[in-house]
Amino acid sequence: MNFAAERLEIHKHTDYNTRVSSAVWDENSLAWTLTSDDGRRYRAQFCFMATGHLSAPLQPALAGRDTFAGNTYYTAQWPHKGVDFTGRRVGIVGTGSSGVQSIPVIAQQAKHLYVFQRTPAYCMPAGSRPVPPEEADALKRNFPILKEKAKYQPALSFIEAGEKSIFDYSSEEVRERLEDRWQKGGFPFLQAFTDVMTDTAANDILAEFVREKIRERVKDPTTAEKLLPTTYPLGAKRPILDTDYFEAFNRANVTLVDAKDEPIDCITPKGIIAGGHEYEFDDLVFATGFDAMTGALARIDIVGKGGVALKEKWAEGPQTYLGLGSAGFPNLFLLNGPGSPSVLANCIHGAEYQVEWLTDFVRHLRTTGHKTIDVDSTAEREWVDHVNEVGSHTLFVRTNSWYVGANVPGKPRVFLPYVGFGNYRRKCEETAAESYKGFIVA
Ligand code: NA7
């Protein structure tokens, strides 16, 4: 990135242990003052908030949470040296991606593993495998072509997305198509047809396919039944890729504690009481998720023009233009921010596109002799409405998930990402072509 290279002094301040606690805009010097936990202060003309969309871990609101006398681990803050569960009794709360991916691994080591499930998960096989060198070489050679082809794809991904409705195929063709994608593993299964995330009837067909697979994978029919997701559409909570998740429940040392029969009452020094029964263990793992998309920004006191705090401005939900900036917070840019495709697209390539776009914008600012970039509040309001309008046609908004902030008590229910990278890129291109319409350059 040329912009970073031009500003090499940035690297002088690189410190991996620095946690920024506040960022305050100074209207006189037209710069941000950043303060870190250790009291050091930094001045910056521009702030790029690459703070992550799933980087603010949540502690679950469970009675007695901090009374457990054994070791407590959060999947989001896993000890870098690793944890050895050999010979230990372990309890794990949460069966989202982190739980699903930890459970089979912990089960292999632990003496006994108790899995506390509140909502069963739809999982698709990850299909992870060693890639033979010649295949890896071919992929590397083709990478620029694949990247070019993906540019206007809805998820900015290399996946060959289906181009027709599921109802354009016979049931045999649907089955064949799904089975083929299932065997290959990964997200292509979800993208076999155009209407899986917009039409409940289409979604139901894939959801039932996944439930059939769960019934095949889990030997005990009662346990299998408890693991079946039935209360929400497939993909409306973040879809999960698994390796041997359901097979873990075939092991004698794994017990599923399902909230339908045994909701968690509280945590105790010895373990967890669920449905009136106390499950005792040595180690407790929380795989309970994140304050997604806005959590990391909310944990920094960001104060913009006129002393307005970002937290106040976003009290009813995030307001951004293109997910890149928010009116009243000049020269502060969001990467993979709310209101941008972010988590619904390839996040790495999405952020790369935003960095390049913003770099061009900052270069434009400099060449035109200006100092600040702010967002026009009308453009912002229209963009927020557009994000909601597009989201309202999908099944995402009908489900309680972190996509809508439903996993954080008190968080306003707002659909956070923007659906459709292709349209987003076109809108960003138009904006730049029209002298950055919707932004205020001064
Ligand atoms: P997720 O996907 O938010 O999953 C959190 C899990 O924890 C989920 O099963 C929750 O159940 C469960 N949970 C949360 N709080 C509680 C309480 N109080 N009691 C019982 N169970 C609870 O987080 P992950 O870390 O797995 O994954 C986050 C993202 O990282 C993921 O989407 C990928 O994009 C990568 P619930 O479903 O709310 O009933």
Side-chain angles (χ1 to χ4, degrees), residues 305 313 319-321 325-329 374-385 437-440:
K305 271 173 141 174
K313 185 182 167 191
Q319 295 165 57
T320 71
Y321 181 47
S326 191
F329 297 82
D374 202 347
V375 165
D376 173 63
S377 48
T378 306
E380 178 173 283
R381 218 170 21 253
E382 286 171 2
W383 180 251
V384 171
D385 289 348
K437 194 173 159 200
F439 289 94
I440 301 163

Side-chain angles (χ1 to χ4, degrees), residues 377-395:
S377 48
T378 306
E380 178 173 283
R381 218 170 21 253
E382 286 171 2
W383 180 251
V384 171
D385 289 348
H386 175 62
V387 172
N388 288 328
E389 153 68 15
V390 176
S392 72
H393 299 294
T394 70
L395 301 178

Side-chain angles (χ1 to χ4, degrees), residues 54 60 62 93-98 118-119 237-238 287-290 402:
L54 290 158
L62 288 169
V93 180
T95 52
S97 303
S98 304
R118 188 163 67 180
T119 309
K237 276 175 183 271
R238 181 83 174 168
T288 43
F290 300 84
W402 59 254

Side-chain angles (χ1 to χ4, degrees), residues 233 277 366 372 390:
H277 174 84
R366 289 190 163 162
T372 57
V390 176

Side-chain angles (χ1 to χ4, degrees), residues 2 10 14 24 54 63-64 94 111 118 139 167 231 247 253 257 263 282 284 299 308 378 404-405 442:
N2 293 338
I10 288 167
T14 301
V24 179
L54 290 158
K111 184 168 161 204
R118 188 163 67 180
L139 270 172
F167 301 109
T231 55
E247 288 74 10
N253 70 332
V257 184
D282 309 301
L284 172 57
R299 291 177 189 191
V308 175
T378 306
V404 294

Side-chain angles (χ1 to χ4, degrees), residues 144-181:
I145 301 165
L146 291 170
K147 207 172 159 192
E148 189 58 31
K149 266 174 70 178
K151 268 169 86 172
Y152 293 92
Q153 291 291 318
L156 190 60
S157 87
F158 299 167
I159 294 170
E160 293 283 348
E163 286 171 1
K164 290 201 273 183
S165 156
I166 197 167
F167 301 109
D168 290 336
Y169 295 90
S170 71
S171 50
E172 290 75 27
E173 286 168 331
V174 167
R175 180 96 216 159
E176 204 179 304
R177 219 172 148 78
L178 289 179
E179 190 61 44
D180 178 55
R181 288 182 175 231

